[in-house]
Amino acid sequence: MKRRETGFSLLELAVVAVVLSILLGVFLERLTYYQAAAERAHFDATLRLYKTALQIRLAELILQRREGEARTLEVENPTRWLSEKPINYAGDYPESPEPGTWYFDAATQELVYVVNSSRGLELEIHSGVKQLRFKVKIAYQKVHAGAQQIQGIGGIFLQPSSAYRWS
């Protein structure tokens, strides 16, 4: 009787290689998806942190009856009002910014986030670097003070300098 050799045939090995490459492709696709989702979540959390710090600072000024100083919030670095700077905050906007980092551009008085992964991000690109820029804006409203109307502070917010959508 002849003995049959055991082991993988070339066809079986090819099938295993194809299946493994498909699984690796799916894994890498999901990995990039989750990296982009994590960046977006971190961006959103940091942006909310800045908004909250600005709102608290404006409330402090109003409570101390120093509303006249509120205009300075539109030109100052909002990071100044955070108790702790974000981990990825790098200071003044440089000539070659690093992706995934927050900066303050003193020339334009804008808070800048340089995007690391632009997956699912639609934005207008003004330079070669994909970045989201925000300007501090104070909202004013008319307030009745006796017989006259005066302009009072209605709130503060971070306004995007250009439209973007992160889906």
Side-chain angles (χ1 to χ4, degrees), residues 10 64-65 77 104 106 152 164:
L10 193 55
Q64 296 169 356
R65 300 194 183 271
N77 184 347
F104 182 71
Y164 74 94

Side-chain angles (χ1 to χ4, degrees), residues 16-80:
V16 168
V18 167
V19 169
L20 285 177
S21 64
I22 290 172
L23 288 175
L24 183 63
V26 170
F27 171 74
L28 290 176
E29 169 67 23
R30 295 312 296 169
L31 181 65
T32 58
Y33 170 79
Y34 286 120
Q35 284 176 331
E39 179 183 14
R40 180 179 179 197
H42 193 257
F43 163 79
D44 287 338
T46 305
L47 190 62
R48 280 193 303 274
L49 184 71
Y50 276 111
K51 288 177 181 179
T52 302
L54 285 166
Q55 290 168 347
I56 290 171
R57 179 62 184 153
L58 180 63
E60 287 173 349
L61 290 174
I62 291 171
L63 287 173
Q64 296 169 356
R65 300 194 183 271
R66 296 169 37 204
E67 294 92 349
E69 296 175 34
R71 279 213 180 271
T72 61
L73 295 176
E74 291 182 316
V75 296
E76 289 179 333
N77 184 347
T79 306
R80 179 177 179 188

